[in-house]
Protein backbone atom coordinates (compact mmCIF):
# COMPACT_ATOMS: atom_id res chain seq x y z
CA UNK A 1 0.00 0.00 0.00
CA UNK A 2 2.99 2.31 0.44
CA UNK A 3 3.44 2.99 -3.26
CA UNK A 4 -0.18 4.14 -3.56
CA UNK A 5 0.44 6.78 -0.90
CA UNK A 6 3.55 8.24 -2.57
CA UNK A 7 3.14 11.95 -3.14
CA UNK A 8 6.37 13.89 -2.75
CA UNK A 9 4.55 17.21 -3.10
CA UNK A 10 3.38 16.58 0.47
CA UNK A 11 6.81 17.92 1.45
CA UNK A 12 5.58 21.46 0.79
CA UNK A 13 1.94 21.13 1.76
CA UNK A 14 2.47 23.35 4.82
CA UNK A 15 4.04 25.99 2.60
CA UNK A 16 1.14 25.91 0.17
CA UNK A 17 -1.33 26.21 3.02
CA UNK A 18 0.51 29.28 4.29
CA UNK A 19 0.57 30.79 0.80
CA UNK A 20 -3.17 30.19 0.52
CA UNK A 21 -3.82 31.83 3.89
CA UNK A 22 -1.60 34.82 3.09
CA UNK A 23 -3.14 35.58 -0.29
CA UNK A 24 -0.63 34.11 -2.75
CA UNK A 25 -2.29 30.89 -3.91
CA UNK A 26 -6.03 30.80 -4.49
CA UNK A 27 -7.53 27.64 -2.93
CA UNK A 28 -10.11 25.57 -4.77
CA UNK A 29 -13.74 26.36 -4.11
CA UNK A 30 -13.25 30.04 -3.26
CA UNK A 31 -14.46 32.93 -5.39
CA UNK A 32 -11.61 34.64 -7.22
CA UNK A 33 -13.06 38.10 -6.53
CA UNK A 34 -13.48 37.40 -2.82
CA UNK A 35 -9.98 35.94 -2.54
CA UNK A 36 -8.48 38.93 -4.40
CA UNK A 37 -10.15 41.34 -1.97
CA UNK A 38 -8.94 39.26 0.98
CA UNK A 39 -5.40 39.14 -0.39
CA UNK A 40 -5.25 42.89 -1.06
CA UNK A 41 -6.60 43.78 2.39
CA UNK A 42 -4.24 41.44 4.24
CA UNK A 43 -1.10 42.34 2.35
CA UNK A 44 -1.80 46.07 2.29
CA UNK A 45 -2.36 46.16 6.05
CA UNK A 46 0.58 43.90 6.99
CA UNK A 47 3.05 43.16 4.19
CA UNK A 48 3.25 46.84 3.19
CA UNK A 49 2.30 48.91 6.26
CA UNK A 50 4.18 46.84 8.85
CA UNK A 51 7.68 47.44 7.39
CA UNK A 52 6.76 51.07 6.61
CA UNK A 53 6.06 51.68 10.31
CA UNK A 54 9.47 50.22 11.15
CA UNK A 55 11.24 52.33 8.53
CA UNK A 56 9.49 55.51 9.69
CA UNK A 57 10.76 54.88 13.23
CA UNK A 58 14.35 55.04 11.96
CA UNK A 59 13.88 58.75 11.26
CA UNK A 60 13.17 59.39 14.96
CA UNK A 61 16.02 57.34 16.42
CA UNK A 62 18.56 59.38 18.37
CA UNK A 63 21.11 56.89 19.75
CA UNK A 64 23.21 54.08 18.35
CA UNK A 65 21.68 51.29 20.45
CA UNK A 66 18.11 52.03 19.33
CA UNK A 67 19.31 52.53 15.76
CA UNK A 68 20.97 49.11 15.67
CA UNK A 69 17.96 47.40 17.25
CA UNK A 70 15.52 49.03 14.86
CA UNK A 71 17.79 48.52 11.85
CA UNK A 72 18.15 44.79 12.61
CA UNK A 73 14.40 44.29 12.69
CA UNK A 74 13.77 46.54 9.69
CA UNK A 75 16.34 44.83 7.45
CA UNK A 76 15.05 41.39 8.40
CA UNK A 77 11.43 42.35 7.77
CA UNK A 78 12.08 44.08 4.43
CA UNK A 79 14.10 41.17 3.08
CA UNK A 80 11.47 38.73 4.34
CA UNK A 81 8.78 40.65 2.45
CA UNK A 82 10.94 40.67 -0.68
CA UNK A 83 11.23 36.87 -0.44
CA UNK A 84 7.47 36.70 0.05
CA UNK A 85 7.02 38.84 -3.07
CA UNK A 86 9.37 36.53 -4.94
CA UNK A 87 7.07 33.59 -4.15
CA UNK A 88 4.24 35.51 -5.80
CA UNK A 89 6.37 36.17 -8.88
CA UNK A 90 7.43 32.51 -9.29
CA UNK A 91 4.06 30.95 -8.43
CA UNK A 92 3.68 29.60 -11.98
CA UNK A 93 7.03 27.87 -11.67
CA UNK A 94 5.83 26.32 -8.42
CA UNK A 95 2.88 24.82 -10.29
CA UNK A 96 5.28 23.42 -12.90
CA UNK A 97 7.29 21.77 -10.13
CA UNK A 98 4.11 20.21 -8.81
CA UNK A 99 3.39 18.75 -12.24
CA UNK A 100 6.93 17.38 -12.62
CA UNK A 101 6.77 15.78 -9.19
CA UNK A 102 3.61 13.96 -10.24
CA UNK A 103 5.42 12.44 -13.23
CA UNK A 104 8.42 11.41 -11.14
CA UNK A 105 6.13 9.95 -8.47
CA UNK A 106 4.29 7.96 -11.11
CA UNK A 107 7.57 6.45 -12.32
CA UNK A 108 8.51 5.53 -8.77
CA UNK A 109 5.14 3.86 -8.27
CA UNK A 110 5.57 1.89 -11.48
CA UNK A 111 9.02 0.65 -10.45
CA UNK A 112 7.73 0.03 -6.92
CA UNK A 113 11.10 -0.64 -5.32
CA UNK A 114 11.22 -0.42 -1.50
CA UNK A 115 14.55 1.45 -1.38
CA UNK A 116 13.38 4.10 -3.81
CA UNK A 117 10.09 4.61 -2.00
CA UNK A 118 11.93 4.84 1.32
CA UNK A 119 14.34 7.46 -0.08
CA UNK A 120 11.47 9.59 -1.41
CA UNK A 121 9.42 9.33 1.78
CA UNK A 122 12.49 10.23 3.80
CA UNK A 123 12.93 13.38 1.69
CA UNK A 124 9.30 14.32 2.32
CA UNK A 125 9.67 13.78 6.06
CA UNK A 126 12.88 15.84 6.20
CA UNK A 127 11.28 18.74 4.33
CA UNK A 128 8.26 18.75 6.62
CA UNK A 129 10.48 18.68 9.70
CA UNK A 130 12.36 21.66 8.27
CA UNK A 131 9.14 23.68 8.16
CA UNK A 132 8.35 22.66 11.74
CA UNK A 133 11.85 23.68 12.81
CA UNK A 134 11.42 27.17 11.35
CA UNK A 135 7.94 27.39 12.89
CA UNK A 136 9.45 26.79 16.33
CA UNK A 137 12.04 29.51 15.77
CA UNK A 138 9.46 32.12 14.77
CA UNK A 139 7.12 31.05 17.57
CA UNK A 140 9.93 31.46 20.09
CA UNK A 141 10.83 34.88 18.66
CA UNK A 142 7.21 36.06 18.85
CA UNK A 143 6.80 34.83 22.42
CA UNK A 144 10.12 36.42 23.41
CA UNK A 145 8.96 39.78 22.07
CA UNK A 146 5.70 39.54 24.03
CA UNK A 147 7.53 38.53 27.23
CA UNK A 148 9.94 41.41 26.81
CA UNK A 149 7.02 43.86 26.69
CA UNK A 150 5.30 42.18 29.64
CA UNK A 151 8.31 42.41 31.97
CA UNK A 152 9.29 45.92 30.90
CA UNK A 153 9.09 48.58 33.61
CA UNK A 154 7.67 51.10 31.14
CA UNK A 155 5.13 50.98 28.35
CA UNK A 156 6.64 49.86 25.05
CA UNK A 157 5.68 48.17 21.79
CA UNK A 158 6.70 44.76 20.52
CA UNK A 159 9.09 46.43 18.07
CA UNK A 160 10.20 50.06 17.62
CA UNK A 161 7.71 51.57 15.18
CA UNK A 162 6.08 54.90 14.35
CA UNK A 163 2.29 55.20 14.16
CA UNK A 164 1.77 58.97 14.36
CA UNK A 165 -0.16 58.77 17.67
CA UNK A 166 0.90 59.35 21.27
CA UNK A 167 0.60 55.74 22.44
CA UNK A 168 2.92 56.37 25.39
CA UNK A 169 0.34 58.60 27.09
CA UNK A 170 -2.89 57.11 25.75
CA UNK A 171 -3.99 53.66 26.86
CA UNK A 172 -6.46 53.29 23.98
CA UNK A 173 -3.86 54.24 21.38
CA UNK A 174 -1.39 51.85 22.98
CA UNK A 175 -3.84 48.93 22.86
CA UNK A 176 -4.60 49.61 19.19
CA UNK A 177 -0.91 49.91 18.24
CA UNK A 178 0.04 46.85 20.28
CA UNK A 179 -2.83 44.83 18.83
CA UNK A 180 -1.87 45.79 15.29
CA UNK A 181 1.77 44.91 15.92
CA UNK A 182 0.84 41.55 17.42
CA UNK A 183 -1.42 40.73 14.47
CA UNK A 184 1.19 41.91 11.97
CA UNK A 185 3.94 40.04 13.77
CA UNK A 186 1.99 36.77 13.67
CA UNK A 187 1.17 37.18 9.97
CA UNK A 188 4.76 38.10 9.13
CA UNK A 189 6.06 35.17 11.19
CA UNK A 190 3.82 32.77 9.26
CA UNK A 191 4.91 34.29 5.95
CA UNK A 192 8.58 34.17 6.90
CA UNK A 193 8.31 30.59 8.10
CA UNK A 194 7.20 29.47 4.64
CA UNK A 195 9.57 31.83 2.78
CA UNK A 196 12.62 30.66 4.73
CA UNK A 197 11.83 26.95 4.70
CA UNK A 198 10.70 26.37 1.12
CA UNK A 199 14.24 26.61 -0.41
CA UNK A 200 15.60 23.71 1.67
CA UNK A 201 12.32 21.83 1.16
CA UNK A 202 12.62 21.91 -2.64
CA UNK A 203 16.33 21.10 -2.45
CA UNK A 204 15.43 18.12 -0.30
CA UNK A 205 12.85 16.96 -2.84
CA UNK A 206 15.35 17.29 -5.68
CA UNK A 207 17.93 15.33 -3.71
CA UNK A 208 15.38 12.62 -2.92
CA UNK A 209 14.45 12.10 -6.57
CA UNK A 210 18.14 12.02 -7.52
CA UNK A 211 18.68 9.34 -4.88
CA UNK A 212 15.74 7.28 -6.14
CA UNK A 213 17.06 7.52 -9.72
CA UNK A 214 20.54 6.54 -8.58
CA UNK A 215 19.18 3.36 -6.96
CA UNK A 216 17.20 2.61 -10.12
CA UNK A 217 20.25 3.07 -12.37
CA UNK A 218 22.52 0.89 -10.26
CA UNK A 219 20.18 -2.11 -10.76
CA UNK A 220 20.27 -1.95 -14.57
CA UNK A 221 21.58 -5.13 -16.18
CA UNK A 222 21.73 -7.32 -13.09
CA UNK A 223 19.78 -10.58 -12.96
CA UNK A 224 18.81 -12.97 -15.75
CA UNK A 225 15.60 -11.17 -16.63
CA UNK A 226 17.21 -7.73 -16.57
CA UNK A 227 19.90 -8.76 -19.05
CA UNK A 228 17.39 -8.75 -21.92
CA UNK A 229 15.58 -5.57 -20.90
CA UNK A 230 18.59 -3.54 -19.80
CA UNK A 231 18.55 -1.15 -22.76
CA UNK A 232 14.88 -0.34 -22.25
CA UNK A 233 15.52 0.31 -18.56
CA UNK A 234 18.42 2.59 -19.46
CA UNK A 235 16.23 4.61 -21.82
CA UNK A 236 13.58 4.93 -19.11
CA UNK A 237 16.22 6.14 -16.65
CA UNK A 238 17.52 8.65 -19.21
CA UNK A 239 13.98 10.04 -19.54
CA UNK A 240 13.76 10.23 -15.76
CA UNK A 241 17.12 12.01 -15.71
CA UNK A 242 15.80 14.60 -18.15
CA UNK A 243 12.83 15.21 -15.83
CA UNK A 244 15.19 15.60 -12.88
CA UNK A 245 17.26 18.12 -14.87
CA UNK A 246 14.10 20.05 -15.72
CA UNK A 247 13.15 20.02 -12.05
CA UNK A 248 16.60 21.27 -11.11
CA UNK A 249 16.37 24.08 -13.68
CA UNK A 250 13.03 25.31 -12.32
CA UNK A 251 14.24 25.11 -8.73
CA UNK A 252 17.28 27.16 -9.75
CA UNK A 253 14.99 29.88 -11.10
CA UNK A 254 12.75 30.06 -8.04
CA UNK A 255 15.59 29.94 -5.49
CA UNK A 256 18.13 32.25 -7.13
CA UNK A 257 16.63 35.53 -5.92
CA UNK A 258 15.38 34.16 -2.60
CA UNK A 259 18.76 32.71 -1.61
CA UNK A 260 20.63 35.82 -2.74
CA UNK A 261 18.32 37.95 -0.59
CA UNK A 262 18.95 35.61 2.33
CA UNK A 263 22.73 35.91 1.97
CA UNK A 264 22.55 39.71 1.78
CA UNK A 265 20.16 39.86 4.73
CA UNK A 266 22.33 37.57 6.86
CA UNK A 267 25.48 39.58 6.23
CA UNK A 268 23.76 42.89 7.01
CA UNK A 269 21.92 41.61 10.07
CA UNK A 270 24.99 39.88 11.49
CA UNK A 271 27.02 43.10 11.32
CA UNK A 272 24.17 45.18 12.75
CA UNK A 273 23.49 42.69 15.53
CA UNK A 274 27.20 42.66 16.36
CA UNK A 275 27.14 46.45 16.79
CA UNK A 276 23.92 46.25 18.80
CA UNK A 277 25.35 43.58 21.06
CA UNK A 278 28.49 45.62 21.73
CA UNK A 279 26.42 48.59 22.86
CA UNK A 280 23.76 46.77 24.92
CA UNK A 281 26.44 44.90 26.88
CA UNK A 282 27.46 48.19 28.41
CA UNK A 283 23.87 48.99 29.41
CA UNK A 284 23.23 45.53 30.95
CA UNK A 285 19.95 45.22 29.05
CA UNK A 286 19.47 41.45 29.34
CA UNK A 287 16.31 41.20 27.23
CA UNK A 288 17.92 43.22 24.42
CA UNK A 289 21.02 41.03 24.57
CA UNK A 290 18.92 37.86 24.31
CA UNK A 291 16.96 39.31 21.39
CA UNK A 292 20.22 40.20 19.62
CA UNK A 293 21.57 36.69 20.11
CA UNK A 294 18.32 35.15 18.84
CA UNK A 295 18.43 37.30 15.68
CA UNK A 296 22.08 36.48 15.08
CA UNK A 297 21.60 32.72 15.53
CA UNK A 298 18.40 32.70 13.45
CA UNK A 299 19.85 34.41 10.36
CA UNK A 300 23.02 32.31 10.61
CA UNK A 301 21.07 29.05 10.81
CA UNK A 302 18.87 30.08 7.87
CA UNK A 303 21.96 30.39 5.66
CA UNK A 304 23.52 27.21 7.07
CA UNK A 305 20.41 25.13 6.32
CA UNK A 306 20.23 26.38 2.73
CA UNK A 307 23.95 25.69 2.18
CA UNK A 308 23.71 22.29 3.86
CA UNK A 309 20.91 21.06 1.63
CA UNK A 310 22.62 22.58 -1.40
CA UNK A 311 25.74 20.58 -0.50
CA UNK A 312 23.67 17.41 -0.09
CA UNK A 313 22.16 17.94 -3.53
CA UNK A 314 25.60 18.41 -5.08
CA UNK A 315 26.92 15.25 -3.40
CA UNK A 316 23.88 13.29 -4.55
CA UNK A 317 24.37 14.46 -8.15
CA UNK A 318 27.88 12.99 -8.01
CA UNK A 319 26.46 9.75 -6.59
CA UNK A 320 23.95 9.67 -9.47
CA UNK A 321 26.82 9.89 -11.96
CA UNK A 322 28.58 7.05 -10.13
CA UNK A 323 25.36 5.05 -10.39
CA UNK A 324 25.62 4.96 -14.19
CA UNK A 325 29.16 3.64 -13.86
CA UNK A 326 27.94 1.00 -11.39
CA UNK A 327 25.29 -0.54 -13.65
CA UNK A 328 26.10 -3.80 -15.47
CA UNK A 329 27.23 -2.16 -18.71
CA UNK A 330 29.98 -4.72 -19.44
CA UNK A 331 27.57 -7.42 -20.66
CA UNK A 332 25.40 -5.11 -22.73
CA UNK A 333 25.10 -4.48 -26.46
CA UNK A 334 26.99 -1.65 -28.22
CA UNK A 335 23.87 0.54 -28.47
CA UNK A 336 23.53 0.36 -24.70
CA UNK A 337 27.14 1.42 -24.18
CA UNK A 338 26.82 4.25 -26.70
CA UNK A 339 23.77 5.71 -24.97
CA UNK A 340 25.46 5.24 -21.62
CA UNK A 341 28.52 7.22 -22.77
CA UNK A 342 26.32 10.09 -23.97
CA UNK A 343 24.52 10.09 -20.61
CA UNK A 344 27.77 10.06 -18.64
CA UNK A 345 28.98 13.06 -20.60
CA UNK A 346 25.95 15.01 -19.37
CA UNK A 347 26.31 13.95 -15.73
CA UNK A 348 30.03 14.56 -15.25
CA UNK A 349 29.57 18.09 -13.92
CA UNK A 350 28.09 18.15 -10.38
CA UNK A 351 24.76 19.94 -10.06
CA UNK A 352 24.72 23.12 -8.01
CA UNK A 353 22.10 25.73 -7.20
CA UNK A 354 23.42 29.29 -7.39
CA UNK A 355 22.16 32.24 -5.38
CA UNK A 356 21.89 35.22 -7.67
CA UNK A 357 23.25 33.10 -10.50
CA UNK A 358 26.84 32.92 -9.24
CA UNK A 359 27.06 32.10 -5.47
CA UNK A 360 26.92 28.30 -5.04
CA UNK A 361 24.80 26.87 -2.24
CA UNK A 362 27.50 24.83 -0.52
CA UNK A 363 29.15 24.49 2.86
CA UNK A 364 32.20 26.22 1.43
CA UNK A 365 30.08 29.31 0.81
CA UNK A 366 28.78 29.17 4.37
CA UNK A 367 32.34 28.95 5.67
CA UNK A 368 33.30 32.04 3.66
CA UNK A 369 30.28 33.91 5.04
CA UNK A 370 31.30 33.02 8.61
CA UNK A 371 34.83 34.24 7.96
CA UNK A 372 33.45 37.53 6.67
CA UNK A 373 31.22 37.86 9.74
CA UNK A 374 34.12 37.18 12.09
CA UNK A 375 36.31 39.73 10.31
CA UNK A 376 33.57 42.37 10.44
CA UNK A 377 32.91 41.70 14.13
CA UNK A 378 36.62 41.96 14.94
CA UNK A 379 36.84 45.25 13.06
CA UNK A 380 33.84 46.66 14.95
CA UNK A 381 35.28 45.52 18.25
CA UNK A 382 38.54 47.34 17.57
CA UNK A 383 36.76 50.47 16.40
CA UNK A 384 34.54 50.67 19.48
Amino acid sequence: MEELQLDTHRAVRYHWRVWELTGLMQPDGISRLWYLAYSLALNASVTILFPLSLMARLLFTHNMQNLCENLTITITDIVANLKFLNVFLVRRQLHKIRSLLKHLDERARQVNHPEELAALNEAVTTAQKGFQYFARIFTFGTILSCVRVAISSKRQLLYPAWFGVDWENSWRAYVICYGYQLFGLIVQAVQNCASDSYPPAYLCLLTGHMRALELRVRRIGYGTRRLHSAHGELLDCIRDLMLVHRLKGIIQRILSVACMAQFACSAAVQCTVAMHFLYVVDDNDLSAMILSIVFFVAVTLEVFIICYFGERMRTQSEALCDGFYACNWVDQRPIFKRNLIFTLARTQKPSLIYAGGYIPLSLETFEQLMRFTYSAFTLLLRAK
Side-chain angles (χ1 to χ4, degrees):
M1 296 296 296
E2 187 177 12
E3 68 275 9
L4 297 177
Q5 300 173 358
L6 180 64
D7 178 15
T8 53
H9 194 263
R10 288 186 297 111
V12 290
R13 65 177 179 178
Y14 297 138
H15 305 80
W16 278 68
R17 181 56 58 87
V18 168
W19 294 332
E20 290 174 350
L21 290 174
T22 53
L24 291 187
M25 301 286 189
Q26 181 179 343
D28 296 332
I30 296 182
S31 168
R32 181 177 181 180
L33 183 61
W34 185 92
Y35 187 75
L36 179 62
Y38 164 79
S39 176
L40 290 175
L42 179 66
N43 288 287
S45 61
V46 176
T47 308
I48 297 177
L49 291 183
F50 193 86
L52 285 179
S53 67
L54 299 177
M55 294 171 62
R57 185 67 182 85
L58 287 173
L59 302 176
F60 301 94
T61 302
H62 302 293
N63 61 72
M64 182 60 70
Q65 177 181 337
N66 292 335
L67 177 64
C68 291
E69 181 180 358
N70 197 4
L71 193 59
T72 299
I73 300 167
T74 304
I75 292 174
T76 305
D77 192 66
I78 291 175
V79 173
N81 286 327
L82 290 177
K83 291 188 291 185
F84 183 71
L85 175 61
N86 181 66
V87 175
F88 175 76
L89 297 177
V90 301
R91 63 192 186 282
R92 293 183 179 178
Q93 305 296 327
L94 295 174
H95 284 284
K96 290 181 181 179
I97 290 178
R98 190 173 191 173
S99 178
L100 279 175
L101 290 176
K102 288 182 179 180
H103 288 292
L104 291 170
D105 290 346
E106 180 62 29
R107 280 285 295 135
R109 285 193 291 266
Q110 290 175 0
V111 175
N112 192 24
H113 193 274
E115 285 188 88
E116 292 185 30
L117 297 176
L120 292 173
N121 285 318
E122 180 183 358
V124 171
T125 302
T126 302
Q128 291 179 342
K129 287 182 177 179
F131 180 90
Q132 295 167 1
Y133 165 78
F134 278 98
R136 293 188 185 100
I137 291 180
F138 285 107
T139 300
F140 176 75
T142 303
I143 294 175
L144 182 62
S145 299
C146 295
V147 171
R148 185 186 179 194
V149 172
I151 64 177
S152 176
S153 58
K154 60 180 181 179
R155 184 181 296 177
Q156 64 176 3
L157 297 174
L158 291 170
Y159 290 112
W162 181 82
F163 292 103
V165 296
D166 187 14
W167 55 266
E168 292 180 304
N169 299 312
S170 171
W171 178 252
R172 178 179 297 178
Y174 176 71
V175 170
I176 294 175
C177 293
Y178 181 88
Y180 169 77
Q181 273 203 327
L182 182 59
F183 172 72
L185 183 60
I186 293 174
V187 173
Q188 293 268 271
V190 172
Q191 291 176 342
N192 298 345
C193 182
S195 298
D196 291 341
S197 61
Y198 86 85
Y202 279 110
L203 288 173
C204 198
L205 279 177
L206 179 58
T207 303
H209 279 287
M210 283 184 173
R211 173 59 177 165
L213 182 56
E214 176 206 346
L215 294 171
R216 195 176 307 158
V217 168
R218 288 180 180 274
R219 297 193 305 268
I220 296 177
Y222 290 99
T224 305
R225 182 186 64 83
R226 294 184 181 278
L227 190 61
H228 301 288
S229 60
H231 187 243
E233 292 180 9
L234 176 64
L235 294 179
D236 288 338
C237 288
I238 292 174
R239 297 187 188 98
D240 296 338
L241 180 64
M242 294 174 64
L243 289 177
V244 169
H245 282 169
R246 284 182 58 194
L247 179 62
K248 187 257 180 183
I250 297 176
I251 290 177
Q252 167 65 60
R253 289 195 290 273
I254 69 170
L255 297 190
S256 178
V257 174
C259 292
M260 189 63 190
Q262 186 60 60
F263 282 142
C265 174
S266 297
V269 169
Q270 284 172 341
C271 293
T272 307
V273 167
M275 293 181 61
H276 184 212
F277 187 77
L278 291 175
Y279 281 97
V280 298
V281 166
D282 294 338
D283 294 338
N284 294 319
D285 189 345
L286 182 60
S287 62
M289 290 170 59
I290 294 176
L291 195 61
S292 294
I293 294 173
V294 169
F295 265 101
F296 186 88
V297 172
V299 296
T300 302
L301 285 179
E302 287 174 359
V303 173
F304 171 76
I305 291 174
I306 294 174
C307 291
Y308 171 75
F309 282 103
E311 183 73 20
R312 280 189 59 189
M313 191 273 292
R314 182 193 66 81
T315 304
Q316 182 55 57
S317 71
E318 294 176 347
L320 177 57
C321 180
D322 293 339
F324 282 99
Y325 284 104
C327 72
N328 185 17
W329 57 270
V330 177
D331 300 330
Q332 306 306 320
R333 294 177 296 173
I335 188 174
F336 179 101
K337 297 176 181 178
R338 184 166 58 250
N339 288 330
L340 180 62
I341 291 174
F342 291 148
T343 304
L344 288 172
R346 295 190 59 184
T347 58
Q348 289 298 311
K349 185 178 180 181
S351 294
L352 276 170
I353 299 294
Y354 293 89
Y358 62 91
I359 300 178
L361 300 185
S362 65
L363 292 179
E364 182 180 356
T365 300
F366 177 75
E367 180 184 0
Q368 293 174 354
L369 180 62
M370 290 300 98
R371 288 180 178 178
F372 168 79
T373 301
Y374 176 77
S375 300
F377 183 79
T378 304
L379 181 62
L380 291 172
L381 188 62
R382 291 178 179 177
K384 183 183 176 184

